[in-house]
Amino acid sequence: MTVEDCLPADLRGPTSTITRIAAGMSGAGVYRVEAAGQSFVLKIAGEAENDADWRRALHIQRLAADAGLAPRIVHVDEARRAVLTAFVADRSFMAFYRDPRTHEAALTQLGRTVRRIHALPLPADAHTRDPLEVLTQVRNGFLAGFALPDFARDAVQRVLAEEPPARERALVLGHNDLNPTNLIYDGEAILILDWATAGLMDPFYDLAVLCVFLRMDEGTCLRLLSAYEGTRLAGLPPRFSYHRRLAAALAGSFQLYLARQMKHAGATGAETLDSTPSLGEFYQRMMAGTLKLGTADGQWWFGLALLKESLAL
């Protein structure tokens, strides 16, 4: 099978170009396709990806695309487990969010977009996603025997030992990975990429993930939740605050697992809570080019910064 075989017949030919642009965590291949004067994105599932999970995620992706929450699906080759979507030119949600002139509009639109995700119909076969269970698995499995600073282990243990506040709401269809790399802003709408881990979950978790990665203070979190609810809230719900700590601990632990996969040696003994960069400092070093995601050191310090963030929440 060639990559071109995954395209519909009318988009194949000598004038079409296919350029690999990314590789997913599951081993999926992602390609930019230029054909018939149009641009597309082709994603082909990795060999290790479970077939039933792929079909389940495709169903959810279709629901999201039909609701205008994900790029339009152009073609699906189920035999080859390939999905072709319309290419959406990204005008940068982060620029929209960080610009003082548009910050509040971006925050409001983000909250309303998450609300629309959670209003999608629940598939009968959707899996329940429990981030606390995943954190336990990452700690006991992926990170077992990996040398970590004491504060990093303490951050994970603190969340695992915490008694979660009572659930206030019914489970919803959540995205489960709303980090900024999965947001596209086309100048009008916010579209969401990568629905592979979507499933039934507490609605506060998606919101908490956004608040962690976007480094929102409590006032900004409150405005995001108010936009989500469609009414002004007086304070942050305890279960939301719990999910912020959980989201930071899980994201940090997973980044450390990626560092280990990239052959990072682990802690040297010099990494302390004070010497570890904050999440904001990590972002500054990344923009300066001194740290880079996709490298062992980049994932290592990103993970530690997120765990430091968890302890501060």
Side-chain angles (χ1 to χ4, degrees):
M1 182 193 77
T2 67
V3 173
E4 189 177 35
D5 291 334
C6 299
L7 300 176
D10 61 322
L11 296 182
R12 302 175 197 166
T15 60
S16 299
T17 61
I18 302 173
T19 307
R20 190 178 182 96
I21 56 177
M25 288 301 303
S26 63
V30 185
Y31 304 84
R32 171 82 175 265
V33 178
E34 304 285 345
Q38 301 178 75
S39 300
F40 308 91
V41 175
L42 176 67
K43 184 175 182 180
I44 306 173
E47 292 183 4
E49 190 168 351
N50 179 277
D51 189 63
D53 287 344
W54 179 83
R55 294 179 187 279
R56 191 177 293 111
L58 173 61
H59 177 57
I60 294 173
Q61 184 180 351
R62 279 181 165 139
L63 291 174
D66 289 346
L69 289 163
R72 177 174 57 89
I73 295 177
V74 176
H75 175 75
V76 175
D77 185 331
E78 295 205 13
R80 297 179 175 92
R81 300 194 301 172
V83 181
L84 185 72
T85 58
F87 173 79
V88 179
D90 185 12
R91 298 190 180 183
S92 178
F93 173 77
M94 292 307 298
F96 182 39
Y97 178 78
R98 287 174 175 160
D99 188 332
R101 297 168 298 179
T102 57
H103 173 76
E104 288 302 322
L107 189 66
T108 298
Q109 188 168 349
L110 185 60
R112 291 173 179 173
T113 298
V114 178
R115 184 71 181 204
R116 290 174 58 212
I117 294 172
H118 293 172
L120 291 172
L122 301 177
D125 62 346
H127 283 172
T128 299
R129 303 293 187 180
D130 184 351
L132 187 61
E133 181 180 311
V134 176
L135 178 60
T136 302
Q137 293 172 346
V138 172
R139 184 196 64 171
N140 295 343
F142 298 150
L143 295 180
F146 190 40
L148 298 178
D150 288 342
F151 82 85
R153 294 196 180 279
D154 290 345
V156 174
Q157 182 56 36
R158 184 185 76 151
V159 172
L160 292 177
E162 186 175 355
E163 183 68 27
R167 180 182 294 134
E168 304 165 0
R169 299 156 186 246
L171 298 180
V172 297
L173 181 57
H175 181 273
N176 198 36
D177 190 18
L178 280 184
N179 73 79
T181 64
N182 284 328
L183 306 181
I184 290 181
Y185 178 62
D186 66 3
E188 294 184 1
I190 300 171
L191 301 176
I192 314 299
L193 304 178
D194 195 357
W195 294 82
T197 58
L200 301 183
M201 57 192 308
D202 191 302
F204 282 136
Y205 188 74
D206 275 344
L207 293 159
V209 169
L210 286 168
C211 289
V212 168
F213 280 99
L214 294 175
R215 299 181 54 244
M216 296 185 188
D217 59 23
E218 291 203 0
T220 308
C221 290
L222 189 57
R223 297 199 302 280
L224 176 71
L225 265 64
S226 295
Y228 174 87
E229 298 289 2
T231 187
R232 186 172 181 177
L233 301 183
L236 295 176
R239 192 166 176 88
F240 166 78
S241 298
Y242 162 78
H243 273 293
R244 275 209 296 169
R245 295 187 288 275
L246 173 56
L250 177 54
S253 297
F254 193 73
Q255 297 305 319
L256 294 180
Y257 160 65
L258 293 179
R260 186 179 195 180
Q261 290 292 97
M262 296 174 186
K263 310 302 182 184
H264 194 281
T268 65
E271 302 92 342
T272 66
L273 183 63
D274 290 338
S275 68
T276 295
S278 68
L279 189 55
E281 290 167 341
F282 172 82
Y283 286 155
Q284 289 174 356
R285 295 184 189 183
M286 191 170 66
M287 289 186 287
T290 57
L291 286 173
K292 185 178 180 181
L293 292 180
T295 67
D297 275 348
Q299 304 300 154
W300 170 258
W301 288 111
F302 192 24
L304 294 184
L306 283 161
L307 288 169
K308 182 174 182 175
E309 186 80 3
S310 175
L311 287 170
L313 294 174

